[in-house]
mmCIF file of all heavy atoms in Angstrom:
data_model
loop_
_atom_site.group_PDB
_atom_site.id
_atom_site.type_symbol
_atom_site.label_atom_id
_atom_site.label_comp_id
_atom_site.label_asym_id
_atom_site.label_seq_id
_atom_site.Cartn_x
_atom_site.Cartn_y
_atom_site.Cartn_z
ATOM 1 N N GLU A 1 71.498 201.494 47.230
ATOM 2 C CA GLU A 1 70.540 202.123 46.320
ATOM 3 C C GLU A 1 69.724 201.049 45.605
ATOM 4 O O GLU A 1 70.246 200.027 45.174
ATOM 5 C CB GLU A 1 71.299 202.968 45.296
ATOM 6 C CG GLU A 1 70.409 203.688 44.324
ATOM 7 C CD GLU A 1 71.200 204.504 43.310
ATOM 8 O OE1 GLU A 1 72.351 204.860 43.590
ATOM 9 O OE2 GLU A 1 70.645 204.772 42.243
ATOM 10 N N GLU A 2 68.426 201.297 45.465
ATOM 11 C CA GLU A 2 67.545 200.360 44.789
ATOM 12 C C GLU A 2 67.337 200.805 43.345
ATOM 13 O O GLU A 2 67.103 201.984 43.082
ATOM 14 C CB GLU A 2 66.203 200.295 45.512
ATOM 15 C CG GLU A 2 65.325 199.160 45.047
ATOM 16 C CD GLU A 2 64.083 199.021 45.889
ATOM 17 O OE1 GLU A 2 63.080 199.660 45.549
ATOM 18 O OE2 GLU A 2 64.135 198.280 46.889
ATOM 19 N N VAL A 3 67.441 199.848 42.412
ATOM 20 C CA VAL A 3 67.298 200.119 40.988
ATOM 21 C C VAL A 3 66.228 199.195 40.431
ATOM 22 O O VAL A 3 66.175 198.016 40.790
ATOM 23 C CB VAL A 3 68.634 199.863 40.243
ATOM 24 C CG1 VAL A 3 68.489 200.143 38.764
ATOM 25 C CG2 VAL A 3 69.762 200.667 40.848
ATOM 26 N N LEU A 4 65.382 199.734 39.561
ATOM 27 C CA LEU A 4 64.377 198.921 38.896
ATOM 28 C C LEU A 4 64.954 198.452 37.561
ATOM 29 O O LEU A 4 65.376 199.262 36.734
ATOM 30 C CB LEU A 4 63.101 199.735 38.656
ATOM 31 C CG LEU A 4 61.953 198.990 37.983
ATOM 32 C CD1 LEU A 4 61.428 197.875 38.895
ATOM 33 C CD2 LEU A 4 60.835 199.950 37.635
ATOM 34 N N PHE A 5 65.009 197.137 37.363
ATOM 35 C CA PHE A 5 65.491 196.565 36.116
ATOM 36 C C PHE A 5 64.333 195.895 35.388
ATOM 37 O O PHE A 5 63.435 195.321 36.011
ATOM 38 C CB PHE A 5 66.554 195.495 36.366
ATOM 39 C CG PHE A 5 67.917 196.029 36.716
ATOM 40 C CD1 PHE A 5 68.622 195.487 37.776
ATOM 41 C CD2 PHE A 5 68.512 197.019 35.977
ATOM 42 C CE1 PHE A 5 69.889 195.948 38.102
ATOM 43 C CE2 PHE A 5 69.783 197.488 36.286
ATOM 44 C CZ PHE A 5 70.465 196.949 37.356
ATOM 45 N N TYR A 6 64.374 195.957 34.070
ATOM 46 C CA TYR A 6 63.415 195.264 33.224
ATOM 47 C C TYR A 6 64.080 194.007 32.686
ATOM 48 O O TYR A 6 65.198 194.064 32.179
ATOM 49 C CB TYR A 6 62.958 196.171 32.077
ATOM 50 C CG TYR A 6 62.235 197.384 32.583
ATOM 51 C CD1 TYR A 6 62.915 198.569 32.832
ATOM 52 C CD2 TYR A 6 60.875 197.322 32.877
ATOM 53 C CE1 TYR A 6 62.250 199.671 33.329
ATOM 54 C CE2 TYR A 6 60.210 198.422 33.382
ATOM 55 C CZ TYR A 6 60.906 199.596 33.605
ATOM 56 O OH TYR A 6 60.250 200.680 34.117
ATOM 57 N N VAL A 7 63.402 192.882 32.806
ATOM 58 C CA VAL A 7 63.964 191.592 32.391
ATOM 59 C C VAL A 7 63.721 191.394 30.896
ATOM 60 O O VAL A 7 62.581 191.337 30.448
ATOM 61 C CB VAL A 7 63.333 190.437 33.203
ATOM 62 C CG1 VAL A 7 63.912 189.103 32.746
ATOM 63 C CG2 VAL A 7 63.543 190.646 34.694
ATOM 64 N N LEU A 8 64.812 191.301 30.145
ATOM 65 C CA LEU A 8 64.725 191.072 28.704
ATOM 66 C C LEU A 8 64.650 189.585 28.381
ATOM 67 O O LEU A 8 63.952 189.169 27.472
ATOM 68 C CB LEU A 8 65.941 191.671 27.992
ATOM 69 C CG LEU A 8 66.141 193.177 28.129
ATOM 70 C CD1 LEU A 8 67.448 193.590 27.486
ATOM 71 C CD2 LEU A 8 64.973 193.921 27.511
ATOM 72 N N GLU A 9 65.408 188.786 29.127
ATOM 73 C CA GLU A 9 65.466 187.350 28.866
ATOM 74 C C GLU A 9 65.984 186.635 30.099
ATOM 75 O O GLU A 9 66.631 187.236 30.945
ATOM 76 C CB GLU A 9 66.387 187.087 27.673
ATOM 77 C CG GLU A 9 66.334 185.684 27.120
ATOM 78 C CD GLU A 9 64.971 185.286 26.585
ATOM 79 O OE1 GLU A 9 64.586 185.732 25.501
ATOM 80 O OE2 GLU A 9 64.297 184.508 27.290
ATOM 81 N N GLN A 10 65.686 185.346 30.170
ATOM 82 C CA GLN A 10 66.140 184.516 31.279
ATOM 83 C C GLN A 10 66.601 183.185 30.711
ATOM 84 O O GLN A 10 66.035 182.683 29.739
ATOM 85 C CB GLN A 10 64.998 184.291 32.268
ATOM 86 C CG GLN A 10 65.380 183.403 33.427
ATOM 87 C CD GLN A 10 64.238 183.250 34.446
ATOM 88 O OE1 GLN A 10 63.163 183.812 34.284
ATOM 89 N NE2 GLN A 10 64.492 182.488 35.474
ATOM 90 N N THR A 11 67.645 182.619 31.320
ATOM 91 C CA THR A 11 68.119 181.300 30.913
ATOM 92 C C THR A 11 68.662 180.569 32.139
ATOM 93 O O THR A 11 68.973 181.193 33.153
ATOM 94 C CB THR A 11 69.190 181.391 29.802
ATOM 95 O OG1 THR A 11 69.422 180.081 29.276
ATOM 96 C CG2 THR A 11 70.490 181.974 30.320
ATOM 97 N N CYS A 12 68.767 179.278 32.014
ATOM 98 C CA CYS A 12 69.323 178.453 33.080
ATOM 99 C C CYS A 12 70.424 177.592 32.471
ATOM 100 O O CYS A 12 70.183 176.865 31.505
ATOM 101 C CB CYS A 12 68.229 177.581 33.692
ATOM 102 S SG CYS A 12 68.773 176.642 35.121
ATOM 103 N N ILE A 13 71.633 177.716 33.019
ATOM 104 C CA ILE A 13 72.776 176.970 32.510
ATOM 105 C C ILE A 13 73.437 176.263 33.682
ATOM 106 O O ILE A 13 73.801 176.903 34.674
ATOM 107 C CB ILE A 13 73.787 177.906 31.824
ATOM 108 C CG1 ILE A 13 73.109 178.620 30.653
ATOM 109 C CG2 ILE A 13 75.017 177.136 31.372
ATOM 110 C CD1 ILE A 13 73.925 179.712 30.036
ATOM 111 N N GLY A 14 73.545 174.964 33.572
ATOM 112 C CA GLY A 14 74.173 174.183 34.634
ATOM 113 C C GLY A 14 73.447 174.319 35.964
ATOM 114 O O GLY A 14 74.086 174.303 37.009
ATOM 115 N N GLY A 15 72.141 174.494 35.913
ATOM 116 C CA GLY A 15 71.345 174.619 37.126
ATOM 117 C C GLY A 15 71.370 176.012 37.752
ATOM 118 O O GLY A 15 70.817 176.214 38.820
ATOM 119 N N VAL A 16 72.002 176.971 37.073
ATOM 120 C CA VAL A 16 72.089 178.344 37.582
ATOM 121 C C VAL A 16 71.243 179.246 36.683
ATOM 122 O O VAL A 16 71.378 179.213 35.460
ATOM 123 C CB VAL A 16 73.552 178.848 37.593
ATOM 124 C CG1 VAL A 16 73.631 180.283 38.070
ATOM 125 C CG2 VAL A 16 74.416 177.944 38.462
ATOM 126 N N SER A 17 70.385 180.053 37.291
ATOM 127 C CA SER A 17 69.539 180.974 36.537
ATOM 128 C C SER A 17 70.251 182.294 36.316
ATOM 129 O O SER A 17 70.902 182.828 37.214
ATOM 130 C CB SER A 17 68.230 181.245 37.290
ATOM 131 O OG SER A 17 67.437 180.091 37.327
ATOM 132 N N TYR A 18 70.114 182.817 35.095
ATOM 133 C CA TYR A 18 70.680 184.105 34.719
ATOM 134 C C TYR A 18 69.582 184.979 34.128
ATOM 135 O O TYR A 18 68.701 184.476 33.423
ATOM 136 C CB TYR A 18 71.772 183.940 33.664
ATOM 137 C CG TYR A 18 73.000 183.213 34.150
ATOM 138 C CD1 TYR A 18 73.101 181.835 34.048
ATOM 139 C CD2 TYR A 18 74.062 183.907 34.711
ATOM 140 C CE1 TYR A 18 74.228 181.159 34.491
ATOM 141 C CE2 TYR A 18 75.200 183.239 35.160
ATOM 142 C CZ TYR A 18 75.271 181.871 35.040
ATOM 143 O OH TYR A 18 76.390 181.211 35.490
ATOM 144 N N LEU A 19 69.657 186.276 34.400
ATOM 145 C CA LEU A 19 68.734 187.244 33.824
ATOM 146 C C LEU A 19 69.519 188.258 33.014
ATOM 147 O O LEU A 19 70.568 188.736 33.444
ATOM 148 C CB LEU A 19 67.973 187.997 34.916
ATOM 149 C CG LEU A 19 67.108 187.209 35.878
ATOM 150 C CD1 LEU A 19 66.502 188.150 36.917
ATOM 151 C CD2 LEU A 19 66.014 186.458 35.147
ATOM 152 N N LEU A 20 68.984 188.618 31.860
ATOM 153 C CA LEU A 20 69.498 189.739 31.089
ATOM 154 C C LEU A 20 68.543 190.893 31.365
ATOM 155 O O LEU A 20 67.343 190.797 31.077
ATOM 156 C CB LEU A 20 69.529 189.403 29.601
ATOM 157 C CG LEU A 20 69.984 190.523 28.674
ATOM 158 C CD1 LEU A 20 71.444 190.891 28.941
ATOM 159 C CD2 LEU A 20 69.790 190.132 27.220
ATOM 160 N N VAL A 21 69.055 191.959 31.952
ATOM 161 C CA VAL A 21 68.201 193.064 32.383
ATOM 162 C C VAL A 21 68.719 194.387 31.828
ATOM 163 O O VAL A 21 69.882 194.510 31.440
ATOM 164 C CB VAL A 21 68.107 193.149 33.928
ATOM 165 C CG1 VAL A 21 67.510 191.874 34.509
ATOM 166 C CG2 VAL A 21 69.463 193.433 34.557
ATOM 167 N N THR A 22 67.833 195.387 31.825
ATOM 168 C CA THR A 22 68.179 196.736 31.408
ATOM 169 C C THR A 22 67.451 197.729 32.309
ATOM 170 O O THR A 22 66.430 197.386 32.908
ATOM 171 C CB THR A 22 67.834 196.969 29.921
ATOM 172 O OG1 THR A 22 68.284 198.251 29.519
ATOM 173 C CG2 THR A 22 66.348 196.845 29.668
ATOM 174 N N GLU A 23 67.974 198.935 32.390
ATOM 175 C CA GLU A 23 67.349 199.965 33.226
ATOM 176 C C GLU A 23 66.219 200.688 32.511
ATOM 177 O O GLU A 23 65.367 201.271 33.158
ATOM 178 C CB GLU A 23 68.396 201.000 33.670
ATOM 179 C CG GLU A 23 69.408 200.442 34.638
ATOM 180 C CD GLU A 23 70.406 201.489 35.081
ATOM 181 O OE1 GLU A 23 69.980 202.595 35.452
ATOM 182 O OE2 GLU A 23 71.609 201.201 35.047
ATOM 183 N N ASP A 24 66.211 200.671 31.188
ATOM 184 C CA ASP A 24 65.226 201.421 30.412
ATOM 185 C C ASP A 24 64.413 200.467 29.552
ATOM 186 O O ASP A 24 64.969 199.752 28.722
ATOM 187 C CB ASP A 24 65.938 202.461 29.548
ATOM 188 C CG ASP A 24 65.000 203.502 28.983
ATOM 189 O OD1 ASP A 24 63.809 203.187 28.770
ATOM 190 O OD2 ASP A 24 65.456 204.626 28.745
ATOM 191 N N GLU A 25 63.111 200.488 29.727
ATOM 192 C CA GLU A 25 62.241 199.556 29.016
ATOM 193 C C GLU A 25 62.099 199.905 27.529
ATOM 194 O O GLU A 25 61.955 199.022 26.697
ATOM 195 C CB GLU A 25 60.861 199.561 29.676
ATOM 196 C CG GLU A 25 59.890 198.577 29.101
ATOM 197 C CD GLU A 25 58.573 198.551 29.838
ATOM 198 O OE1 GLU A 25 58.242 199.512 30.548
ATOM 199 O OE2 GLU A 25 57.865 197.550 29.703
ATOM 200 N N GLU A 26 62.170 201.170 27.181
ATOM 201 C CA GLU A 26 61.867 201.604 25.822
ATOM 202 C C GLU A 26 63.089 201.947 24.967
ATOM 203 O O GLU A 26 63.099 201.731 23.775
ATOM 204 C CB GLU A 26 60.951 202.839 25.866
ATOM 205 C CG GLU A 26 59.639 202.595 26.599
ATOM 206 C CD GLU A 26 58.745 201.605 25.887
ATOM 207 O OE1 GLU A 26 58.726 201.587 24.643
ATOM 208 O OE2 GLU A 26 58.063 200.832 26.582
ATOM 209 N N GLU A 27 64.115 202.525 25.544
ATOM 210 C CA GLU A 27 65.259 203.054 24.802
ATOM 211 C C GLU A 27 66.438 202.084 24.819
ATOM 212 O O GLU A 27 66.476 201.153 25.606
ATOM 213 C CB GLU A 27 65.711 204.376 25.454
ATOM 214 C CG GLU A 27 64.610 205.382 25.637
ATOM 215 C CD GLU A 27 64.404 206.265 24.426
ATOM 216 O OE1 GLU A 27 65.392 206.533 23.731
ATOM 217 O OE2 GLU A 27 63.266 206.669 24.190
ATOM 218 N N ASP A 28 67.414 202.358 23.971
ATOM 219 C CA ASP A 28 68.681 201.635 24.058
ATOM 220 C C ASP A 28 69.353 202.014 25.370
ATOM 221 O O ASP A 28 69.376 203.184 25.748
ATOM 222 C CB ASP A 28 69.611 202.016 22.912
ATOM 223 C CG ASP A 28 69.182 201.405 21.586
ATOM 224 O OD1 ASP A 28 68.355 200.486 21.601
ATOM 225 O OD2 ASP A 28 69.685 201.856 20.537
ATOM 226 N N SER A 29 69.867 201.058 26.054
ATOM 227 C CA SER A 29 70.563 201.344 27.309
ATOM 228 C C SER A 29 71.509 200.191 27.616
ATOM 229 O O SER A 29 71.539 199.185 26.921
ATOM 230 C CB SER A 29 69.583 201.553 28.462
ATOM 231 O OG SER A 29 68.924 200.359 28.789
ATOM 232 N N TYR A 30 72.258 200.365 28.670
ATOM 233 C CA TYR A 30 73.163 199.308 29.102
ATOM 234 C C TYR A 30 72.350 198.103 29.557
ATOM 235 O O TYR A 30 71.280 198.245 30.141
ATOM 236 C CB TYR A 30 74.043 199.774 30.259
ATOM 237 C CG TYR A 30 75.077 200.790 29.858
ATOM 238 C CD1 TYR A 30 74.934 202.121 30.212
ATOM 239 C CD2 TYR A 30 76.190 200.407 29.124
ATOM 240 C CE1 TYR A 30 75.885 203.058 29.837
ATOM 241 C CE2 TYR A 30 77.147 201.336 28.745
ATOM 242 C CZ TYR A 30 76.983 202.658 29.102
ATOM 243 O OH TYR A 30 77.919 203.581 28.733
ATOM 244 N N ALA A 31 72.889 196.932 29.289
ATOM 245 C CA ALA A 31 72.283 195.693 29.765
ATOM 246 C C ALA A 31 73.240 195.062 30.759
ATOM 247 O O ALA A 31 74.455 195.250 30.686
ATOM 248 C CB ALA A 31 72.016 194.740 28.602
ATOM 249 N N TYR A 32 72.676 194.336 31.699
ATOM 250 C CA TYR A 32 73.460 193.680 32.737
ATOM 251 C C TYR A 32 73.018 192.229 32.820
ATOM 252 O O TYR A 32 71.861 191.896 32.542
ATOM 253 C CB TYR A 32 73.233 194.350 34.099
ATOM 254 C CG TYR A 32 73.485 195.825 34.075
ATOM 255 C CD1 TYR A 32 72.441 196.722 33.891
ATOM 256 C CD2 TYR A 32 74.775 196.338 34.236
ATOM 257 C CE1 TYR A 32 72.665 198.089 33.867
ATOM 258 C CE2 TYR A 32 75.008 197.696 34.217
ATOM 259 C CZ TYR A 32 73.942 198.572 34.024
ATOM 260 O OH TYR A 32 74.182 199.922 33.995
ATOM 261 N N ILE A 33 73.928 191.380 33.229
ATOM 262 C CA ILE A 33 73.590 189.976 33.441
ATOM 263 C C ILE A 33 73.667 189.715 34.937
ATOM 264 O O ILE A 33 74.683 189.978 35.577
ATOM 265 C CB ILE A 33 74.523 189.039 32.658
ATOM 266 C CG1 ILE A 33 74.336 189.276 31.155
ATOM 267 C CG2 ILE A 33 74.244 187.577 33.023
ATOM 268 C CD1 ILE A 33 75.246 188.460 30.265
ATOM 269 N N LEU A 34 72.553 189.224 35.465
ATOM 270 C CA LEU A 34 72.454 188.886 36.882
ATOM 271 C C LEU A 34 72.428 187.373 37.029
ATOM 272 O O LEU A 34 71.843 186.664 36.215
ATOM 273 C CB LEU A 34 71.186 189.475 37.502
ATOM 274 C CG LEU A 34 70.971 190.982 37.358
ATOM 275 C CD1 LEU A 34 69.650 191.376 38.003
ATOM 276 C CD2 LEU A 34 72.113 191.742 37.987
ATOM 277 N N LYS A 35 73.037 186.904 38.098
ATOM 278 C CA LYS A 35 73.132 185.468 38.387
ATOM 279 C C LYS A 35 72.423 185.200 39.702
ATOM 280 O O LYS A 35 72.654 185.896 40.695
ATOM 281 C CB LYS A 35 74.610 185.097 38.504
ATOM 282 C CG LYS A 35 74.883 183.678 38.902
ATOM 283 C CD LYS A 35 76.393 183.478 39.012
ATOM 284 C CE LYS A 35 76.759 182.068 39.368
ATOM 285 N NZ LYS A 35 78.219 181.877 39.397
ATOM 286 N N GLU A 36 71.547 184.183 39.715
ATOM 287 C CA GLU A 36 70.877 183.803 40.958
ATOM 288 C C GLU A 36 71.909 183.171 41.885
ATOM 289 O O GLU A 36 72.576 182.211 41.516
ATOM 290 C CB GLU A 36 69.757 182.813 40.673
ATOM 291 C CG GLU A 36 68.985 182.415 41.905
ATOM 292 C CD GLU A 36 67.873 181.441 41.598
ATOM 293 O OE1 GLU A 36 67.118 181.654 40.622
ATOM 294 O OE2 GLU A 36 67.780 180.449 42.328
ATOM 295 N N ILE A 37 72.022 183.733 43.085
ATOM 296 C CA ILE A 37 73.013 183.190 44.015
ATOM 297 C C ILE A 37 72.377 182.556 45.241
ATOM 298 O O ILE A 37 73.042 181.800 45.949
ATOM 299 C CB ILE A 37 74.031 184.268 44.450
ATOM 300 C CG1 ILE A 37 73.342 185.453 45.118
ATOM 301 C CG2 ILE A 37 74.875 184.705 43.272
ATOM 302 C CD1 ILE A 37 74.298 186.420 45.772
ATOM 303 N N GLN A 38 71.095 182.864 45.493
ATOM 304 C CA GLN A 38 70.451 182.293 46.681
ATOM 305 C C GLN A 38 68.948 182.432 46.553
ATOM 306 O O GLN A 38 68.439 183.421 46.022
ATOM 307 C CB GLN A 38 70.930 183.045 47.922
ATOM 308 C CG GLN A 38 70.352 182.556 49.215
ATOM 309 C CD GLN A 38 70.878 183.360 50.404
ATOM 310 O OE1 GLN A 38 71.821 184.118 50.302
ATOM 311 N NE2 GLN A 38 70.253 183.189 51.525
ATOM 312 N N THR A 39 68.231 181.435 47.057
ATOM 313 C CA THR A 39 66.780 181.492 47.150
ATOM 314 C C THR A 39 66.406 181.287 48.598
ATOM 315 O O THR A 39 66.842 180.322 49.226
ATOM 316 C CB THR A 39 66.121 180.408 46.276
ATOM 317 O OG1 THR A 39 66.574 180.569 44.933
ATOM 318 C CG2 THR A 39 64.616 180.502 46.321
#
């Protein structure tokens, strides 16, 4: 299943990129942290 996430913030720690994302751009909702694993 494909989900559209809105990126709230991005950071890079130890050469690894992380995204803080949410499913809802306007309302309070669950947030998820994604880790870049491959380019």
Side-chain angles (χ1 to χ4, degrees):
E1 181 181 337
E2 191 173 89
V3 180
L4 181 66
F5 283 134
Y6 297 92
V7 179
L8 299 175
E9 191 62 75
Q10 178 177 0
T11 191
C12 186
I13 300 171
V16 178
S17 292
Y18 294 90
L19 300 177
L20 177 65
V21 299
T22 185
E23 292 181 48
D24 194 331
E25 184 176 20
E26 301 294 325
E27 308 273 328
D28 286 345
S29 68
Y30 290 106
Y32 306 95
I33 296 177
L34 305 179
K35 176 182 182 177
E36 182 180 314
I37 59 170
Q38 180 180 348
T39 304

